[in-house]
Structure formats: C-alpha cells, structure tokens
Amino acid sequence: MLQSSVELSTEIHVCQQSDTRLSEPRLDELSILATTKKREWETIIIDSDDDGQVTKKQKQQLLDDEALARALQDEEDRAARASMGASVSVSSGQHVGASSSSGIVNRGEESFGIEYEAGCRSSSTFRLMQVKGLPQWANKGCVNIRGVIQGDVQVALLSNYMVDIDWLLEACPRLRTVPSVVVFHGEGGGSLELLQASKPNSWLLHKPPLRLSYGTHHSKAMFLIYPTGVRIVVHTANLIYIDWNHKSQGLWMQDFPYKSGVAQDSKSSPFENDLVEYLQALEWGGCMANVSGLGEVRINAAFFRRFDYSSALVRLVGSVPGYHQGRNLTKWGHLKLRTILQEQCFDEQFKGSPCVYQFSSLGSLDEKWMDEFASSVQAGSTLGKEKLGPGPVQIIWPTVEDIRCSIEGYAAGGAVPSPQKNVERPFLSNYWTRWQADHTGRSRAIPHIKTFVRYNEQNLAWFLLTSSNLSKAAWGALQKNNSQLMIRSYELGVLFLPSLVGINSNITPFSCTYSSSVVPRGLRSKTDDEGLGQVGHPKLVTLSWKKSNDGKEDRDTIVRLPLPYALPPVKYGPKDIPWSWDRTYTQPDVYGEVWPRQVRRYTKQNQ
C-alpha cells in the first residue's frame, strides 16, 4: 500500500494555463489505446538506487505512466519517423552526416547540429537530448538516439538499467543491421523475461553480478565499434520511450581511432585504464565478432586497449559493487572523484565557490555522509596551491508544482522516485534550490539528467555528467575508520576539466562517421580556424556566459557546456515543496489528473 499522506492542494498555486498547456487528449481517454499494445510487464524496476523496498503498486504506477505517455504522442511519433528520410540537422549548413555501411558520408541521415560563436567553442562532446513538444530553438544542437548510433557500426555494446527492445528497434532501425549486439542490463523478474522474449536471436544479454543487496546495474553507456575506431557514449537515459522523448537528459560522446604502431608502445592513458578496469568489473567473458580489417576477434575488456584515447576530453568516474580496500579504495565512487580533483589546479575564483548536486533520485542520507561526500566534491587546489575548500552546497530538485505543471503532468513524478522519508529530512531544507531551465526551454521537461558541478557565476571549475544519483549505493560510503568504501551499484560518469580542454584544444577531433574533410568549422582546432599558434587559459563556461570587454580572454580557450539549468539556482520559496512520490496530491495537473493515479493492469493476450 502507498503510505498515507498529507494533502497539499491548498499549498499549490495554479500553473499557467496558456499556450504552454498541452493540447493532446486527456490521458484517461487514451487508456484503451494504451492497452492495445498487449504487453506483459509482471513487474517493473524503478530507476532508483534507494535502499528501501519499492512497493508493487508503485512499480505498476510507473508502468502505467510509461504506457500512457507512449500512447499520448503515438500519432505524432509515427509521423516523425516517416519523415526521417530527410535531414533533421538542427544547424543549417554545419551538420555532420552519418556514414553508410560502405563508409561514405550520407547527408540524408540525422546527425548532430552544431552552433558556434566568435571567440568561443561549443562542446563537441556534451549534448542535451531532444525533447518532444519543445519549440525548435530549444532542440537546436540537441541529439536523439539516431544521431548517436549511426554509420557502419559492427559491434554495439549497450549498457543500461531499463531496456525496451521493441522501442529501441523502432527508434533506431540501424541496430537491426548491426552484426553483433550485446546488452548489459539491470532488469529482473518479468521485465527480464520480456527482454529475453523481445530481443533479436543474435543479440546477447549480460546482467553484471550484484554482490550486495539493494544494488543495481545503473550505468548508461554505449560502446560502438567501427572499422576505423570506437565511439564511446555516456548518457543519462534508460533505453525506453519516455526517457528519450519527455525528460531533460544529457549525453557525452567521443570517437577514438585505433592505435598506430607508435601509440601501441606508449604508456596507457588514465582514460584507457579507467575504461578497461570498469569493463573488467562487469565480469563479461566477451564474444566473437567480425570487424573489418581485423577479421574475427574476441570483443572483451582487453579489446578496448586497441584504441588511442590520448585525445579524451574527459575522465571516467565509475562505481562498481563491493567492499573496496587498499589500492582499490580510490578507484571507484566519490573517492575516485576526490582523487582526480586533488590532482587538479583551478582558477582562484573557485576557492570557496558553490557546488551543485542535481539528480533524479535521493537515497536515505544523513549529515555525516553528506560531509563525507562534500569532502570529495570540494577537493582540489588553486593555481596558487591553496585548497579550494568548502563552499555552499545547492541541491536542484523539482518541486511538486514543477511536476504538476510539467509536459507530462504528475506522470513525470514516476521517474523522480524518492519517498517522503528521504526527501523531507529536516537538514535537507537548507540545500533545496529550484529546477529552472528557461534558457534551454526545459523548465517543464522534468530532469532525469544527473550532474554535479563547481562554479562561480557562469564559470565552471569542473562538470560531471553521470548516472549516479545522490545516494550511498551509487557513490559509496566509507567504513572501518575510512579504510573501506562500500558501493552497491554500477554507475558511470564523465568529468570535464579545464586541464583536458587545454591539452587537446589544438587537436582536430577524430570521427568514426565522417572524414576530416567534412569536419565542421566549430570542431576544428583553434589553430586551424584562426591561425593562432598557441592558446591561453582553458575555461569551461555555461551557455549564459558573456565575454568581457577588456580583451583578456581573447587568447583563452573558452568551451561552453550546455548545462540545462540556470546558475546560480534559486532557493526554494516558503510555498515550494520538494517532490516525493508517495504523497497524495489532489490539485489536478495539466491533464486534469491527480496523484497517485488509478493503477491499471496490462496483460499479454495470446495472438
């Protein structure tokens, strides 16, 4: 049973009912259409690493929301798929075409759109994902799954928590032609049975072992092997319809070539070592596959040492289940983040600067662990060798009103699955700040993205995109007088650092899907574009950053990262209530629904 809750209708003001209100039919009118999908889901695991038990009714609620959300825009999505033969580039004249199976650039395929400003480079590796129903400008430069899985992919390793094979093949038909596909997943029970029944016969499934209770395989990544190299993608979306269409999500992608003879003899990069160690921790024995130029080879963790990661623009920060001690103590979780940051020197402006924690599920936390985690997040030194030290911590978390007035209505709350007992701890009230994303058009697209950042105004000391929510299960908790880190779940994230931007600022990016002759101007090095033989201070900034008029930044390498939310975040007001999904909300949402909704049961009918 859902816990009894205090009704909040008197505390919630009426959301704007103008042209922002969705015009589709009410969700209850679409329930019959949703049931015609005839799909059996005995259980569904919520995308949460909270260590509490999730009730059966709550699991069914998320299923209900997903089915109805899919039905809501069924006609619109079908029309969009029919028009996919045309280019869907969001930046005219600067799009990157996908390669066909023959390796020739095909500009009829969908791909990334890129926009650049004079004196500034946009991030070529971090993108927001497209959201249905937003104005065109809000999806400019954003990406969907067809823009990621494109070209002559010969092996695809897809890592995720929740996987809907039917939707995946429909959304990305190219996967049907990939000879070798392996899915690393976190499904169980009836969801696993459905996954096994719906996958193509040639696809392989692997569920990494979970040695500790309440853990999950929560990492969201893709490893796509091409004849010329590998594309590595770390993102925040489950492989299900609602995550790729209705949520605020983020994605990092970078391509790497095979090592040359000289590179094969060189020392492995930190990125390479972190990647291979993470893949080894999945305990996957590998599979045989045919790769052009190599013949039949075994694809396993060691295979990924064949690629040259010297141009990596990020560091990997992963988590794997276990009790980590000794030399493994700092390999994973928040101690991995701490170790990397301790090696960095940052601009003086970040001393004592704020840190943002933004995520979609909140674990059962206490003040002691919050201090432990903050010690990792606030690590690092200034260029003058002074410690950055502690700064204000700001948690961005949607309010009840944000959920109610979102493009999904209360249904969006199913993907923010934190109970009242976790959310309404008194000490957290000092941290709450609003989800505000007007500048990216995503204020009503509820976040499933997870980000952690240290900033000063619109300047970023560093930025982390990750699958990790704020929980001990994801980040780990120190034990035994700080000599052991206990982690329950698999997670994976990428850390953007100014130092990596500076090292690689003059390198023209490698691509698996287009040749150097068609690299867009904004992706080329500063030397190529402007004839400059050197670059100045590397800086990470937000989309809202403005260049100063004193000319001091003219030679700096400025890289914009499209953070979806505004900085600095605004503190909760007296009427703002943090969303928790096990309370009762009687003020109707944009569809006239209340929360919790009536649970509907779907069964598979024999054909």
Side-chain angles (χ1 to χ4, degrees):
M1 294 288 294
L2 291 173
Q3 297 181 12
S4 60
S5 311
V6 178
E7 296 186 1
L8 301 178
S9 58
T10 60
E11 300 180 65
I12 303 177
H13 61 275
V14 178
C15 63
Q16 297 294 325
Q17 300 293 322
S18 61
D19 57 347
T20 60
R21 183 183 176 109
L22 298 186
S23 60
E24 288 82 2
R26 287 169 51 94
L27 290 178
D28 54 0
E29 296 173 357
L30 292 168
S31 60
I32 297 177
L33 176 60
T35 58
T36 61
K37 295 184 179 296
K38 302 177 182 178
R39 304 179 65 187
E40 181 181 20
W41 292 64
E42 293 298 329
T43 61
I44 188 165
I45 303 175
I46 302 301
D47 187 8
S48 168
D49 46 22
D50 175 36
D51 56 7
Q53 293 288 345
V54 182
T55 68
K56 186 175 182 180
K57 191 172 183 180
Q58 288 169 327
K59 295 176 184 179
Q60 282 297 133
Q61 182 68 65
L62 182 58
L63 168 63
D64 179 39
D65 292 335
E66 181 187 356
L68 291 175
R70 293 187 67 172
L72 180 67
Q73 295 195 8
D74 186 66
E75 290 300 323
E76 176 189 340
D77 195 45
R78 189 178 299 118
R81 289 194 301 272
S83 65
M84 276 301 181
S87 173
V88 196
S89 171
V90 292
S91 183
S92 176
Q94 290 186 334
H95 75 279
V96 179
S99 67
S100 67
S101 59
S102 63
I104 300 173
V105 171
N106 178 0
R107 294 186 179 274
E109 291 282 347
E110 176 187 15
S111 55
F112 292 164
I114 304 165
E115 181 180 25
Y116 296 91
E117 298 178 8
C120 179
R121 298 174 64 197
S122 295
S123 169
S124 60
T125 60
F126 171 48
R127 302 297 175 89
L128 299 180
M129 295 185 188
Q130 294 177 4
V131 178
K132 278 186 177 294
L134 298 189
Q136 184 177 4
W137 67 265
N139 280 323
K140 189 173 185 178
C142 301
V143 67
N144 67 16
I145 196 166
R146 290 196 188 195
V148 178
I149 305 176
Q150 56 175 318
D152 189 11
V153 182
Q154 302 196 338
V155 181
L157 309 183
L158 309 178
S159 172
N160 221 292
Y161 178 52
M162 298 172 63
V163 183
D164 181 345
I165 297 289
D166 290 342
W167 168 81
L168 184 59
L169 292 175
E170 187 177 2
C172 189
R174 186 173 293 276
L175 277 172
R176 296 181 185 274
T177 64
V178 176
S180 300
V181 178
V182 182
V183 178
F184 300 89
H185 65 91
E187 302 280 24
S191 297
L192 177 56
E193 292 177 7
L194 178 62
L195 186 64
Q196 293 169 330
S198 59
K199 75 174 185 67
N201 292 333
S202 61
W203 288 25
L204 302 176
L205 302 179
H206 175 69
K207 184 174 183 177
L210 296 170
R211 308 195 186 285
L212 301 178
S213 59
Y214 304 118
T216 61
H217 175 260
H218 199 244
S219 302
K220 297 168 178 64
M222 303 177 190
F223 308 92
L224 310 177
I225 298 172
Y226 293 81
T228 56
V230 64
R231 173 169 293 179
I232 300 180
V233 185
V234 175
H235 61 98
T236 61
N238 288 290
L239 292 175
I240 60 177
Y241 174 87
I242 53 174
D243 273 28
W244 286 81
N245 288 276
H246 299 304
K247 311 291 185 187
S248 290
Q249 305 275 18
L251 174 149
W252 166 83
M253 182 187 84
Q254 191 171 349
D255 294 0
F256 303 96
Y258 284 95
K259 290 179 178 177
S260 64
V262 175
Q264 289 176 351
D265 298 328
S266 63
K267 184 179 179 181
S268 299
S269 69
F271 184 97
E272 176 181 324
N273 291 332
D274 292 340
L275 173 63
V276 172
E277 286 183 349
Y278 175 80
L279 293 173
Q280 288 173 336
L282 300 180
E283 298 188 25
W284 176 57
C287 68
M288 300 303 296
N290 283 300
V291 178
S292 297
L294 299 177
E296 189 173 49
V297 293
R298 175 164 289 279
I299 308 297
N300 55 16
F303 178 83
F304 286 85
R305 290 203 181 275
R306 295 173 179 248
F307 303 101
D308 182 0
Y309 304 103
S310 60
S311 63
L313 294 172
V314 296
R315 288 290 303 272
L316 290 177
V317 178
S319 293
V320 300
Y323 298 99
H324 305 292
Q325 302 173 325
R327 62 183 297 270
N328 294 323
L329 180 64
T330 59
K331 277 188 178 182
W332 312 108
H334 73 78
L335 289 188
K336 177 65 173 182
L337 177 62
R338 180 186 301 185
T339 299
I340 297 175
L341 294 179
Q342 285 175 337
E343 299 169 349
Q344 303 295 313
C345 291
F346 300 94
D347 194 272
E348 303 288 337
Q349 66 177 307
F350 298 113
K351 185 177 181 180
S353 63
C355 299
V356 163
Y357 306 168
Q358 181 274 310
F359 47 90
S360 62
S361 181
L362 180 66
S364 179
L365 305 179
D366 53 66
E367 294 180 81
K368 178 177 180 293
W369 186 85
M370 288 288 284
D371 290 340
E372 174 187 316
F373 183 70
S375 295
S376 293
V377 171
Q378 295 167 352
S381 303
T382 67
L383 295 171
K385 304 303 180 184
E386 294 183 86
K387 290 186 177 180
L388 292 184
V393 171
Q394 301 162 327
I395 293 178
I396 295 179
W397 183 260
T399 65
V400 174
E401 192 71 356
D402 292 332
I403 298 290
R404 186 177 75 86
C405 296
S406 71
I407 58 177
E408 298 173 86
Y410 283 128
V416 190
S418 292
Q420 182 179 350
K421 69 179 181 65
N422 290 357
V423 172
E424 298 189 8
R425 295 176 183 250
F427 76 89
L428 290 174
S429 62
N430 296 323
Y431 298 114
W432 296 129
T433 60
R434 293 288 307 276
W435 169 260
Q436 293 182 327
D438 290 345
H439 70 297
T440 58
R442 283 165 170 73
S443 286
R444 296 181 62 237
I446 294 303
H448 190 264
I449 190 175
K450 290 90 171 161
T451 60
F452 297 79
V453 63
R454 188 157 206 177
Y455 75 98
N456 182 18
E457 297 181 345
Q458 304 306 316
N459 299 287
L460 310 178
W462 52 264
F463 170 73
L464 178 70
L465 176 74
T466 179
S467 64
S468 295
N469 287 300
L470 191 65
S471 73
K472 299 176 185 179
W475 286 104
L478 285 167
Q479 300 174 334
K480 297 186 177 180
N481 198 27
N482 297 339
S483 66
Q484 175 175 286
L485 185 70
M486 187 272 287
I487 299 176
R488 298 184 185 275
S489 297
Y490 294 92
E491 308 282 358
L492 193 60
V494 288
L495 178 65
F496 292 79
L497 295 164
S499 59
L500 291 176
V501 172
I503 292 172
N504 294 299
S505 60
N506 281 327
I507 298 175
T508 298
F510 166 81
S511 173
C512 293
T513 56
Y514 55 80
S515 67
S516 59
S517 63
V518 295
V519 175
R521 183 187 66 82
L523 283 179
R524 297 175 191 156
S525 69
K526 194 166 185 177
T527 300
D528 292 337
D529 281 344
E530 303 172 20
L532 300 177
Q534 59 181 354
V535 294
H537 190 56
K539 292 183 178 180
L540 302 177
V541 300
T542 71
L543 294 175
S544 301
W545 176 86
K546 300 296 183 183
K547 189 176 181 180
S548 63
N549 295 323
D550 56 15
K552 293 181 179 180
E553 296 163 330
D554 286 349
R555 302 184 70 82
D556 289 344
T557 301
I558 308 296
V559 176
R560 290 188 188 272
L561 295 177
L563 271 69
Y565 47 84
L567 291 179
V570 177
K571 289 184 67 69
Y572 273 24
K575 293 186 178 181
D576 289 329
I577 302 164
W579 169 262
S580 54
W581 78 328
D582 58 349
R583 298 188 69 163
T584 296
Y585 307 106
T586 59
Q587 181 74 18
D589 66 11
V590 292
Y591 298 106
E593 298 284 348
V594 297
W595 183 270
R597 296 230 309 276
Q598 180 182 356
V599 174
R600 301 171 176 85
R601 185 72 171 173
Y602 299 98
T603 59
K604 182 178 180 181
Q605 301 179 14
N606 294 328
Q607 301 297 319

